[in-house]
């Protein structure tokens, strides 16, 4: 949960507030300095009213102002730069947003609705330490505001105080008052939040790994398992980490070689463990739950090796995005077999894994997704060693031809649809590859009689689209 102030944090309410005060001044005949009022927004309304009216009239005047407000202030208010993006950044991280404001709550709601701001929870009529009570009750770990009173609220809640210099308080004053972070405006908030969440989740990963004591990593050589292996070595030391890679017909040879080199660079023990998933009928049959049989075989062959090496746990590189994706029968099988998932436990997403891997100098930080060869075969088409070898030959030959001819693809798959092959490359290059006869010839020469190029381009899990009832395998 991330909390935000409203006036001069998310919205520029000065024109609307000025309009409401003008109506109030006209009704009462009071001499009110409206430019001064809108230059110091933040404290509760009654404090400002007391500057212009006798004490005995403050409550009544404030009530009248709140009646005037919806008709004169709401349409004169606009969103401040970066506000929508800041709210979206919280949601992108799986978080929730709340507004805690000193404004009368019904009027604050009118602003949010009128401007269509994506706020999950609203609490109004609070100031200073009272804001902290609401923030704490909602579990907010961050509060963003433009006023010193907002910093007081954040402190009272034990939340990180993020100050934005879009209101009456300067950046220097916000820093001097003890803001943990000061931004010129909300346009910089998404980048700050990205870094903050990565730091939090990396810390959670280190704590989780430390709690395991020792760990064998099911290491495919992909970005996720490579990052997990590196994190485990950094946290536990190489002596308490073991990299295990299954060696079977479904693993491309280039991936096996890359995994061996990566482990050697880390100085961690690495073992290739023979596996025979094709001995399992469910795997060969290649229905929508094929990955369940693959992970069952993986755990069956790796767990004994991990135990024999004295490793307390066997971990997979499942991340937070994998768990949200839904179509992951293999994840359930690994969990049932006792695998631990430190990346998932820490909430690390694929983007965070790649970003941290880059800062660590890991060569896998931008490595394209590299699922097993069986993922290229359409469900219902039987998996055989010969079929997998044909796919690997086709992909290898296709990459060579495209590189030779200057077509720089990042993602590439040759899908075996039984009677023909379908090439998937980055969507922007699909037309170029479809018109490049040497590329099509390379795939045909690998053993496919007919070849087509998917105009939609590469997308992870494309074969799931062909299942008649994918939900039944979730």
């Amino acid at each position: 949960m991330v909390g935000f102030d409203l006036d001069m944090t998310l919205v520029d309410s000065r024109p609307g507030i000025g309009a409401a005060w003008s109506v109030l001044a006209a009704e009462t005949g009071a001499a009110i300095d409206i430019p001064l009022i809108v230059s110091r927004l933040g404290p509760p309304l009654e404090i400002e009213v007391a500057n212009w009216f006798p004490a005995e009239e403050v409550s009544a005047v404030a009530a009248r102002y709140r009646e005037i407000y919806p008709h004169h202030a709401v349409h004169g208010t606009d969103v401040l730069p970066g506000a929508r993006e800041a709210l979206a950044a919280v949601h992108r991280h799986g978080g929730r947003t709340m507004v805690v404001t000193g404004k009368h709550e019904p009027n604050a709601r009118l602003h949010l609705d009128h401007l269509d701001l994506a706020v999950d929870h609203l609490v109004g009529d609070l100031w200073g330490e009272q804001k902290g009570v609401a923030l704490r009750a909602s579990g907010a770990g961050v509060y963003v505001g433009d006023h010193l009173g907002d910093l007081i609220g954040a402190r009272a809640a034990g939340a990180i105080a993020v100050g934005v210099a879009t209101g009456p308080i300067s950046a220097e004053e916000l820093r001097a008052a003890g803001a943990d972070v000061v931004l010129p405006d909300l346009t910089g908030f998404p980048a700050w939040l990205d870094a903050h969440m990565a730091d939090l989740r990396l810390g959670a990963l280190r704590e989780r790994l430390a709690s395991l004591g020792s760990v064998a990593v099911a290491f495919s050589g992909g970005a996720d398992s490579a990052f997990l292996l590196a994190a485990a070595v950094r946290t536990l030391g190489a002596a308490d980490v073991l990299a295990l890679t299954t060696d079977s017909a479904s693993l491309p040879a280039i991936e096996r070689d890359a995994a061996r080199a990566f482990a050697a660079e880390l100085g961690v023990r690495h073992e290739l463990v023979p596996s025979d998933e094709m001995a399992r009928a469910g795997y060969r049959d290649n229905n929508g739950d094929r990955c369940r049989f693959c992970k069952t075989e993986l755990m069956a062959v790796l767990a004994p090796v991990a135990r024999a090496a004295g490793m307390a746990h066997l971990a997979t590189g499942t991340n937070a995005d994998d768990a949200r994706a839904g179509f992951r029968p293999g994840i359930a099988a690994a969990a049932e077999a006792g695998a631990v998932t430190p990346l998932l436990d820490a909430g690390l997403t694929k983007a965070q894994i790649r970003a941290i891997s880059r800062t660590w100098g890991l060569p896998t930080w931008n490595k394209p997704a590299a699922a097993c060869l069986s993922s290229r075969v359409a469900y219902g088409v039987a998996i055989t060693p010969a079929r997998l070898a044909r796919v690997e030959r086709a992909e290898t030959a296709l990459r060579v031809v495209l590189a030779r001819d200057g077509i720089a693809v990042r993602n590439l798959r040759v899908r075996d649809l039984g009677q023909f092959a379908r090439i998937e490359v980055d969507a922007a290059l699909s037309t170029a590859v479809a018109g490049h006869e040497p590329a099509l010839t390379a795939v045909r020469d690998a053993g496919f009689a007919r070849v087509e190029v998917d105009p939609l381009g590469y997308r992870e899990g494309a074969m799931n689209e062909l299942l008649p009832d994918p939900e039944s395998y979730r």
Side-chain angles (χ1 to χ4, degrees), residues 31-412:
I32 299 173
D33 188 342
I34 295 173
L36 177 61
I37 290 174
V38 298
S39 73
R40 61 188 186 193
L41 300 180
L45 173 63
E46 284 77 7
I47 292 177
E48 188 61 69
V49 171
N51 291 319
W52 312 103
F53 293 89
E56 64 273 14
E57 296 180 18
V58 167
S59 293
V61 172
R64 179 56 184 153
Y65 174 89
R66 291 182 175 116
E67 291 176 356
I68 293 169
Y69 196 95
H71 307 289
H72 298 277
V74 174
H75 289 278
T77 295
D78 203 357
V79 178
L80 281 167
R84 296 189 191 280
E85 294 80 3
L87 296 170
V90 177
H91 290 139
R92 188 175 67 249
H93 283 287
R96 290 171 57 78
T97 57
M98 69 183 300
V99 163
V100 184
T101 176
K103 190 180 295 297
H104 188 45
E105 187 169 310
N107 289 340
R109 172 56 62 193
L110 291 174
H111 280 303
L112 297 180
D113 291 346
H114 172 66
L115 296 171
D116 193 27
L117 289 173
V119 173
D120 301 305
H121 184 47
L122 167 66
V123 182
D125 302 292
L126 298 179
W127 173 248
E129 291 185 356
Q130 294 177 326
K131 288 189 172 189
V133 174
L135 291 165
R136 185 181 294 276
S138 298
V142 177
Y143 185 57
V144 187
D146 66 285
H147 202 280
L148 300 183
D150 299 326
L151 303 186
I152 293 171
R155 291 287 182 229
I160 294 173
V162 178
V164 285
T166 45
I169 311 300
S170 69
E172 292 74 17
E173 291 172 309
L174 290 168
R175 290 190 188 93
D180 297 298
V181 180
V182 176
L183 303 172
D185 54 39
L186 284 176
T187 58
F189 182 80
W192 173 82
L193 185 64
D194 287 347
H196 173 64
M197 293 307 299
D199 286 344
L200 284 180
R201 290 171 179 170
L202 183 56
L205 175 63
R206 288 172 176 146
E207 289 183 10
R208 178 63 174 131
L209 288 169
S211 75
L212 297 176
S214 61
V215 65
V217 175
F219 177 47
S220 68
D224 297 329
S225 62
F227 172 73
L228 176 59
L229 184 63
V233 171
R234 284 171 174 243
T235 304
L236 300 171
D240 287 317
V241 180
L242 175 64
L244 298 177
T245 303
T246 54
D247 190 8
S248 74
S250 64
L251 179 69
I254 191 172
E255 295 297 328
R256 182 167 52 249
D257 296 340
R260 184 183 292 111
F262 185 89
E265 183 68 22
L266 290 178
V268 67
R269 289 174 293 164
H270 181 227
E271 294 188 27
L272 290 174
V273 182
S275 67
D276 188 13
E277 52 267 36
M278 273 180 274
R280 297 177 182 267
Y283 185 90
R284 293 194 308 273
D285 292 343
N286 193 25
N287 293 316
D289 57 352
R290 181 197 67 240
C291 288
R292 171 176 288 277
F293 296 96
C294 177
K295 276 295 192 292
T296 299
E297 172 71 9
L298 177 83
M299 296 301 295
V301 299
L302 295 188
V305 178
R307 285 195 299 270
M311 298 294 110
H313 300 275
L314 175 59
T316 69
T318 301
N319 64 48
D321 290 333
D322 294 332
R324 285 194 289 266
F327 194 86
R328 291 289 192 274
I331 291 177
E336 291 165 6
V340 295
T341 53
L343 303 181
L344 172 59
D345 297 343
L348 281 157
T349 65
K350 174 70 82 172
Q352 289 170 333
I353 289 166
R354 289 192 183 279
I356 299 170
S357 294
R358 186 177 189 180
T359 64
W360 286 2
L362 302 183
T364 51
W365 75 268
N366 66 341
K367 183 176 181 178
C372 77
L373 290 170
S374 296
S375 69
R376 277 72 152 172
V377 181
Y379 292 115
V381 176
I383 301 291
T384 66
R387 193 176 291 279
L388 298 183
R390 180 173 66 169
V391 168
E392 183 171 13
R393 286 196 306 273
E395 288 193 354
T396 300
L398 181 58
R399 284 192 181 277
V400 169
V401 168
L402 294 179
R404 181 197 68 197
D405 296 344
I407 302 177
V409 299
R410 172 175 170 78
N411 294 292
L412 180 154

Side-chain angles (χ1 to χ4, degrees), residues 430-466:
S430 292
T431 300
V433 174
H436 194 64
E437 185 56 34
L440 306 182
T441 298
V443 176
R444 283 193 291 264
D445 288 348
F448 290 97
R450 183 162 66 90
V451 182
E452 64 179 35
V453 177
D454 192 330
L456 298 178
Y458 167 79
R459 56 218 181 272
E460 192 171 335
M463 298 306 252
N464 300 338
E465 300 168 6
L466 304 179

Side-chain angles (χ1 to χ4, degrees), residues 406-424:
I407 302 177
V409 299
R410 172 175 170 78
N411 294 292
L412 180 154
R413 295 287 187 273
V414 173
R415 307 289 193 187
D416 183 341
L417 277 73
Q419 301 302 315
F420 65 97
R422 177 179 293 162
I423 296 171
E424 290 178 18

